[in-house]
Each structure stands twice: as structure tokens, then as C-alpha cells.
Amino acid sequence: LLDQLARLPIPILVDCTASDQMTPVYHAALSRGIHVVAANKKPLTEPFATYTETRSLARRAHRSYRYETTVGASLPIVETLAQLVRTGDRIHLVEGSLSGTLGYLANELTSGVALSQAVLKAKELGYTEPHPRDDLSGKDAARKALILAREAGLQLELSDIVVEPFVPESILAHDALPEFFDALKRFDAEFDARIRGLKAEGRVLRYLATVDLRGEKPTLRVGPVGVPAEHPATRLRGTEAFVAFTTKRYAEYPLVVQGAGAGGAVTAAGVVADVLALSQGLRGR
Amino acid sequence: LLDQLARLPIPILVDCTASDQMTPVYHAALSRGIHVVAANKKPLTEPFATYTETRSLARRAHRSYRYETTVGASLPIVETLAQLVRTGDRIHLVEGSLSGTLGYLANELTSGVALSQAVLKAKELGYTEPHPRDDLSGKDAARKALILAREAGLQLELSDIVVEPFVPESILAHDALPEFFDALKRFDAEFDARIRGLKAEGRVLRYLATVDLRGEKPTLRVGPVGVPAEHPATRLRGTEAFVAFTTKRYAEYPLVVQGAGAGGAVTAAGVVADVLALSQGLRGR
């Protein structure tokens, strides 16, 4: 199939799966001169050596490997960061609310909805994975943080990220949904007290990813944070995502990109944009 | 000179002037196979026929014409809009604070500084043109609004934009700086009353550009606006710029890009980014 694809004028492999088996396929494609456009986070969060191999294979073959939609759907986040790095800027801090689902939950909880109710509603609206723990664990946000960290030049692994789940691990351990929701319900009061405590301090709950390159050793953290009123993340509504890049050039105020960061339409549009950018570049425009 | 340039492997004409004489140079370059990267707004705000001729010349010659820095320096604004259009989104509203200088003034005035003092300080800090009226007239913001409107597909001219200057025309008419500042000073009290009036209503003064495509006939407006507290423009600090795109895809909440939108370092970086994006595209990555 790849050999046939390679005969097209501009062959592009578009990966819209969430499979962790795609790296060998990418390698086979790139070595046949096929470009890769991916909405799939898994190959980008493989061990660093594999990640590097894919990218250098693309470089050696003079082929594109684009994956804008892996973070924030079609919001211009990956390419903006790549461009800062490419033009010699120095990244100090990347901070973002990268999970539309957890952003939605944080908003619901802040407006007084009980935790178990908010998760149930999010599930009914189709915002969560089939089992909501896959969102609440923070692992998806961690993958996105790793993609950004690697784009910023850091040689890190998923295991280097400090991930604090949205709710305690003991709740996430429940495989069966009824038990899972029961456990959430027993946690409602504690979570509510936490939200009230934050409010009393003028803070708002957010689930943030932070890539901090300011210290001697870069740190990656994903977890719930009580952000102060002046923080850009307090303004997020609905399932909005945002990323703020603080850099040498954007030192006083960060470069901020904000908007709907999840959903079929915006992700599909982002994939199309990657394909078009690639083919337009090749035609010299 | 252009003939010599055309012999380079990837010849690019980089226009960092603010000259209104560049269109013939672009045409000569493009027809010789030379790409154009521009930080110059003037050729993009020429009569629509000329603007279209330049763009179709580039298309026919399979050459790039990139100008990301003409709006918001290196913030990803022009390319983000182009990508929304390219991928079939429908633009409803483009709203932005496109002048770092007027944004700075609006902030100073809101914090209680008198108009004439704020303009004097902005001039001393190098934020304004040699004669501050070139900023206060709103013409620069109007040019940026036109560039965005045309990118959104509108066949409009500079004269189609309703431009309300930051201060009355009678003040802008003063050629000599001492008389100009005297006139500003006589206007201080009136402007102060206006700011207080807005504050009483919970509003903040901003100088906004609005490209509205929701009605039967698209409207372009540039001028001072009292924006309500929940408006994204209220959050701008210092010389920050922002643009919000409300589209069919980003209907509930707009796609927002915000950050330092003026200054030598970020503009130079944006020009370099355009050059790199162009040459990387040509090498097929």
C-alpha cells in the first residue's frame, strides 16, 4: 500500500488514529518519500530515542512530519512554539490548560456543581473518554505537555513528568463505572471544600501543564492548580484551551493562544491545514 | 540587482521599509522568480486591483509572498486567519487591538494619567512615530484592519474603513509639536471625564479594529470603544496586541492570539520566521 501511495505526486500519510503502533508505519512511509501528518499523540510520546529517529528520518528524506493538532486541535500552538525555537528565541516557561475536558470540569465545579455530577454530565455530553478516568488521570494532558517540552528542545520522557491526577488514584482504580461514580460521590464534599477554600483566597481551580525551563534543571508538571484572578487561565470558558509562552522575546507578557481546543470539526480542520501547508510549501508558495 | 538575486538557490526579497513605492519592485522580483517577505503594510493596502495583481503574480510564478509581521509583529495572526479561510472556515468577526501604541495610551489613561502626559511619555519611550498624530489618527490600525479584511476575502479599500481617530481631527491638524501638545492639554479634562464615565459603567477604553462579516454588507471600523469587563481586550497590559477570530468553527468562543505586538526584536523574529518557513517548505519539510 505504501509503495502505491509513494507514486502519487505529493504522497502524505495522514494518521488520525490514537494507536501506539504507528511508529514503524511512519518510518516505512518516510523512507519511501511519503510525508506524515498526524493527529496521533502516541508516536510523539514514545521513548526519546524513537521520537528522534522518526524526526531525523523525516529530515534526511526531506519529508514533512506535521502534528499541529496533537496539542489544542487546530489552535496554532505547536507551530508557534517551533517558530519561536527556530528563530532563536529562548523558551522560559510554557503554561497551558491543554485538556478541554478537565477545563470544562474545573468550570462546572467552580460554578458550584458537585464533582460526581459534573463528571456524569461531561460523560453524557461526549466530552470524556468512554471511561472518564482516562481524562481525570491527567495522562492525556501529560502527553501534550511532553510534545511541547520536546518541541522546546528538552530530551525528556513521559516518566519525567510529575502528574497529579484531577482526583485521587484510589478513585481512578475502579474499573466498573458504577463503583467509579460511587467513589466520586463520596469525594464530592472534600472537593467542594477545596473549591470553596480557593474561592476564599480569590483563586480558581484549573488543570495546568507547566514546562519550566528557568531553573537549572527543567521541570514538567501536570496537575490541578488554584490560579490567582489575574492569571490568563482564569478566563477560560467552556472547553477552551490556552497556552502561554514566556520567552526571552515575550518576557514581560507571554504570547497567548486561546480558543476551542478539542472537538471533531476543529481537529479535522487542523489536519487539513497541515496537509495544505505541506503541499503549498512544496509548490513554492 | 534583482537579476543577480534571482540566481541564488532560494532568492528572497525582504522588505523592511515602510515605503509606498514597493509594488513595482515586488512585481519585478516575483516575475524573476524571487520570493517576497514583507514587514511593509503599504503594498498590501494599495487599491484592491493592485493588491490582487501582486498576489496573482506570486501565484502564477509559484512564488511565496509572506507578510506575517504586518499585523501584530511576530504574533501568529495573518497565517492563522489565512489557514482558517484556506480550510473552509467561515469568518464572522475579526476584532483586535492592533496598535501597541494606542493600547499603551488606553492603559495609561485608564490608570488616571492625563492624555497630554500619556502621549508625551509614549513619545519619550519611543512608542510613537516622530509626530504622535500618525498613531493617534488611527491610520496605521486601519491599514492592519484592511490587511486582515482582505485576507478574509473582502474586496475592500482603505476608504471603506470608518476610522475614528483617538483624539479629534482638530487636534491632529497641528503640524508643530508645541501647538499639538497645547491642543492635547486643552482636551485633557474632556478625555478624563470620558474615562471616568466609562469606569462608572464598568467599561475600559480600548482602540479596536472590527471587521464584521455577519451582516448583509461587511463593515470595517477602527476607533475608540468602551469595552465591558468580560471582553478579552480589557486584559491587555502595556503595549500588548490581540486579535479574536469568531468563525463558524470558533463560534461560541473566539480563537484569540495575544502578546507583544510591536517592537524591533519581535518584528525581526517574525521576518526571519517567514524566511525560514518559506525555505523549509521548498526543501520539503
Side-chain angles (χ1 to χ4, degrees), chain A residues 6 13 32 61 68 76 98 105 126 129 147 168 211 215 232 242 246 258 275:
Chain A
L13 173 74
R32 281 168 180 79
E68 180 60 76
L98 306 176
L105 288 178
E129 299 292 317
I147 292 172
V211 182
F242 101 104
T246 306
Q258 184 180 331
V275 168

Side-chain angles (χ1 to χ4, degrees), chain B residues 41-54:
Chain B
K41 285 180 282 290
K42 301 282 170 62
L44 290 158
T45 52
E46 295 237 21
F48 190 76
T50 313
Y51 166 86
T52 306
E53 200 189 329
T54 309

Side-chain angles (χ1 to χ4, degrees), chain A residues 62 74 235 250 256 258 285, chain B residues 64 74 235 250 256 258 284:
Chain A
H62 294 283
S74 65
R235 305 168 321 214
Y250 292 96
V256 175
Q258 184 180 331
R285 282 195 260 149
Chain B
S64 276
S74 64
R235 305 167 321 212
Y250 292 97
V256 176
Q258 182 180 333

Side-chain angles (χ1 to χ4, degrees), chain A residues 129-145:
Chain A
E129 299 292 317
H131 196 311
R133 75 168 158 201
D134 294 334
D135 301 287
L136 297 171
S137 69
K139 266 180 204 142
D140 188 62
R143 283 190 194 279
K144 292 174 183 168

Side-chain angles (χ1 to χ4, degrees), chain A:
Chain A
L1 181 66
L2 286 175
D3 285 322
Q4 277 185 299
L5 183 57
R7 269 178 241 135
L8 292 171
I10 305 179
I12 306 174
L13 173 74
V14 179
D15 178 9
C16 296
T17 75
S19 160
D20 57 5
Q21 307 289 319
M22 292 305 286
T23 295
V25 183
Y26 289 11
H27 289 192
L30 290 167
S31 61
R32 281 168 180 79
I34 299 169
H35 304 276
V36 176
V37 166
N40 183 357
K41 288 181 279 290
K42 300 282 170 59
L44 290 158
T45 51
E46 295 236 20
F48 190 76
T50 313
Y51 166 86
T52 307
E53 200 189 330
T54 309
R55 286 177 59 116
S56 59
L57 202 57
R59 211 170 16 251
R60 282 200 310 274
H62 294 283
R63 288 301 175 269
S64 275
Y65 177 21
R66 298 182 76 103
Y67 41 86
E68 180 60 76
T69 50
T70 54
V71 183
S74 65
L75 293 177
I77 291 173
V78 174
E79 182 56 24
T80 297
L81 175 55
Q83 215 158 74
L84 291 172
V85 173
R86 208 184 285 149
T87 56
D89 202 354
R90 196 130 156 216
I91 310 298
H92 294 160
L93 180 69
V94 180
E95 208 178 21
S97 175
L98 306 176
S99 163
T101 312
L102 297 184
Y104 169 83
L105 288 178
N107 276 330
E108 288 291 292
L109 294 164
T110 302
S111 69
V113 179
L115 173 68
S116 58
Q117 283 305 307
V119 175
L120 195 61
K121 196 173 152 198
K123 183 170 160 51
E124 284 169 1
L125 287 167
Y127 292 167
T128 69
E129 299 292 317
H131 196 311
R133 75 168 158 201
D134 294 334
D135 301 287
L136 297 171
S137 69
K139 266 180 204 142
D140 188 62
R143 283 190 194 279
K144 292 174 183 168
L146 183 64
I147 292 172
L148 294 181
R150 287 179 169 179
E151 204 66 45
L154 298 179
Q155 302 194 9
L156 293 173
E157 305 292 349
L158 258 186
S159 55
D160 292 320
I161 306 185
V162 181
V163 183
E164 190 188 332
F166 198 80
V167 298
E169 294 281 5
S170 58
I171 298 176
L172 299 176
H174 292 282
D175 288 323
L177 282 174
E179 279 81 31
F180 171 74
F181 276 103
D182 278 347
L184 271 184
K185 209 169 284 173
R186 285 193 299 274
F187 192 57
D188 277 351
E190 196 179 324
F191 216 103
D192 185 54
R194 187 173 169 186
I195 298 278
R196 282 167 196 275
L198 288 175
K199 263 191 194 158
E201 296 171 28
R203 288 169 182 269
V204 180
L205 177 73
R206 290 289 175 240
Y207 196 83
L208 292 189
T210 311
V211 182
D212 194 338
L213 293 95
R214 293 170 299 185
E216 240 177 85
K217 205 172 163 284
T219 57
L220 265 78
R221 193 191 165 277
V222 176
V225 181
V227 297
E230 67 275 15
H231 193 281
T234 52
R235 305 168 321 214
L236 300 176
R237 298 153 299 177
T239 57
E240 274 189 303
F242 101 104
V243 174
F245 301 104
T246 306
T247 71
K248 197 178 165 212
R249 241 176 253 146
Y250 292 96
E252 201 177 353
Y253 310 116
L255 192 174
V256 175
V257 178
Q258 184 180 331
V266 285
T267 306
V271 170
V272 172
D274 269 352
V275 168
L276 289 177
L278 193 162
S279 52
Q280 289 202 323
L282 291 179
R283 284 181 302 166
R285 282 195 260 149

